[in-house]
Amino acid sequence: MALQNEDKLEVGYSSLQPKPKKWVLLMLRLLAFFATAAATVVMGLNKETKTLVVATVGTTPIKATLTAKFQHTPAFVFFVIANGLASMHNLVMIMGDLFGQKLDYKGLRLAMIAILDMMTVALISGGASAAAFMAELGKNGNSHARWNSICDKYKTFCDHGGGALIASFAGLILMLIISVMSIIKLLIKPKPDSTTVVP
């Protein structure tokens, strides 16, 4: 009789435990998607054209129309590709969370999600770091190599690039949190919870 009461108490306790909230991970993925997509679009459309004086012959200035585009720097191209792939990854994972619950081959679904999340963190980190290095070089130049800064001439281009970097680093932080949550979800498998008590 005492054993049955203990069973009832244990079942009641396990049913009161908080269930993991699936919508938290879904919302973080949605925010990471918007951050990386914004970084991709802003940097991908980043372009500014200016007419600059390139030389002076006598008293006559020689002007040239020059355009700053993200395609001129391989680091910015990699940044756009990395953030675009991260956006696609998050979109696929959101669709998988919403509609792909039955697509679990031998219990490998959680492991694959954790691995893909870590790969996406590495991808965003590489793209954002490379772009941040080039942005710093564009803003301050390098006096030792005699590279002049360009942000004094292409202010809008640099401002848009800075906004894209902020969005990308926000996406990176969100993806780090998502990756940790995916690993925790993989390590802590939910136990089957029986709510019926047999007398």
Side-chain angles (χ1 to χ4, degrees):
M1 183 73 176
L3 187 61
Q4 286 180 351
N5 286 339
E6 282 180 18
D7 287 343
K8 286 180 184 178
L9 181 63
E10 189 175 318
V11 168
Y13 173 73
S14 65
S15 63
L16 289 176
Q17 286 180 336
K19 305 279 184 205
K21 293 190 170 92
K22 194 174 172 184
W23 61 269
V24 173
L25 189 60
L26 195 63
M27 288 304 294
L28 285 172
R29 280 203 190 278
L30 198 60
L31 287 172
F33 166 74
F34 283 129
T36 53
T40 304
V41 170
V42 170
M43 187 64 88
L45 298 176
N46 198 6
K47 177 181 174 183
E48 185 178 5
T49 302
K50 285 265 187 164
T51 302
L52 303 170
V53 176
V54 292
T56 305
V57 177
T59 57
T60 308
I62 298 173
K63 296 182 179 181
T65 301
L66 302 172
T67 302
K69 298 182 192 176
F70 85 95
Q71 295 99 323
H72 295 160
T73 308
F76 291 158
V77 173
F78 176 55
F79 175 87
V80 169
I81 293 170
N83 280 283
L85 288 173
S87 299
M88 278 198 327
H89 164 76
N90 280 311
L91 194 59
V92 168
M93 291 297 131
I94 289 168
M95 293 299 143
D97 278 350
L98 293 176
F99 306 113
Q101 294 299 325
K102 296 178 183 177
L103 302 173
D104 192 6
Y105 181 72
K106 294 185 180 179
L108 292 176
R109 181 173 171 267
L110 291 178
M112 288 304 298
I113 289 172
I115 290 168
L116 289 171
D117 283 342
M118 285 188 288
M119 289 172 63
T120 304
V121 166
L123 189 64
I124 299 173
S125 176
S129 298
F133 168 74
M134 290 308 295
E136 196 279 330
L137 190 61
K139 183 177 179 184
N140 298 320
N142 187 332
S143 59
H144 301 294
R146 298 190 184 202
W147 292 338
N148 296 327
S149 63
I150 64 160
C151 285
D152 56 339
K153 299 170 187 71
Y154 295 97
K155 190 167 181 353
T156 305
F157 178 79
C158 290
D159 289 344
H160 288 177
L165 276 170
I166 290 169
S168 183
F169 276 111
L172 175 61
I173 291 168
L174 289 166
M175 279 307 301
L176 277 169
I177 295 167
I178 290 167
S179 185
V180 169
M181 289 176 74
S182 296
I183 293 169
I184 290 171
K185 198 173 177 183
L186 175 64
L187 295 176
I188 302 172
K189 298 211 174 186
K191 296 177 183 173
D193 194 23
S194 61
T195 54
T196 58
V197 178
V198 179

